[in-house]
């Protein structure tokens, strides 16, 4: 019996992977270098930037990078918790009722990992820097 690809689960999976990818890009461009410099590992950041020069471009446009990532993650939350449960009632196969639950569980785990990575990146890129500069002036 040939397995058919469910377009709803395919869209949900792709959206989860895109949000994970975009949140990792925010972590790599802005949060990780800032954290390494904070711990005194500036030489590590310099060598990473010479090896991966595209990180400088992402870092220069961090507002856009974080905005796109946040929009993708918000769209994934909307999809995973609002749209998919309403549509899934019609789409699940009676042959394998656990397939929908497993796919949904994996998508939600990826989504929460993406949100956590995004939150850490946002904290380091936009919150810790201003706090440390205010403490330095005091």
């Amino acid at each position: 019996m040939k397995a058919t690809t469910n377009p709803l689960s395919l869209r949900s999976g792709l959206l989860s992977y895109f949000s994970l990818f975009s949140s990792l890009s925010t972590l790599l461009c802005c949060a990780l270098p800032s954290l390494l410099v904070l711990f005194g590992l500036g030489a590590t950041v310099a060598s990473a930037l010479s090896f991966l020069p595209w990180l400088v471009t992402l870092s220069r446009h961090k507002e856009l990078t974080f905005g796109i990532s946040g929009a993708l993650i918000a769209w994934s939350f909307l999809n995973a918790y609002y749209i998919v449960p309403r549509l899934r009632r019609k789409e699940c196969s009676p042959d394998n009722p656990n397939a929908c639950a497993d796919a949904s569980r994996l998508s939600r785990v990826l989504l929460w990992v993406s949100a956590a990575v995004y939150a850490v990146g946002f904290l380091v890129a936009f919150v810790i820097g201003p706090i440390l500069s205010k403490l330095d002036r005091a």
Side-chain angles (χ1 to χ4, degrees), residues 58-85:
L58 277 178
S59 162
R60 285 186 183 146
H61 303 290
K62 72 179 177 181
E63 291 84 10
L64 181 64
T65 304
F66 274 90
I68 291 171
S69 297
L72 282 172
I73 291 171
W75 188 21
S76 293
F77 270 108
L78 178 72
N79 188 45
Y81 288 101
Y82 183 73
I83 296 171
V84 171

Side-chain angles (χ1 to χ4, degrees), residues 43-123:
T44 304
V45 174
S47 66
L49 290 178
S50 67
F51 185 69
L52 304 168
W54 53 269
L55 289 176
V56 175
T57 305
L58 277 178
S59 162
R60 285 186 183 146
H61 303 290
K62 72 179 177 181
E63 291 84 10
L64 181 64
T65 304
F66 274 90
I68 291 171
S69 297
L72 282 172
I73 291 171
W75 188 21
S76 293
F77 270 108
L78 178 72
N79 188 45
Y81 288 101
Y82 183 73
I83 296 171
V84 171
R86 283 162 179 66
L87 297 175
R88 191 153 310 246
R89 293 180 199 127
K90 301 174 191 172
E91 297 289 328
C92 287
S93 169
D95 298 335
N96 190 2
N98 293 333
C100 285
D102 293 343
S104 179
R105 189 176 308 118
L106 177 64
S107 292
R108 288 179 183 187
V109 165
L110 283 174
L111 179 59
W112 282 104
V113 167
S114 299
V117 168
Y118 181 82
V120 167
F122 188 86
L123 179 74

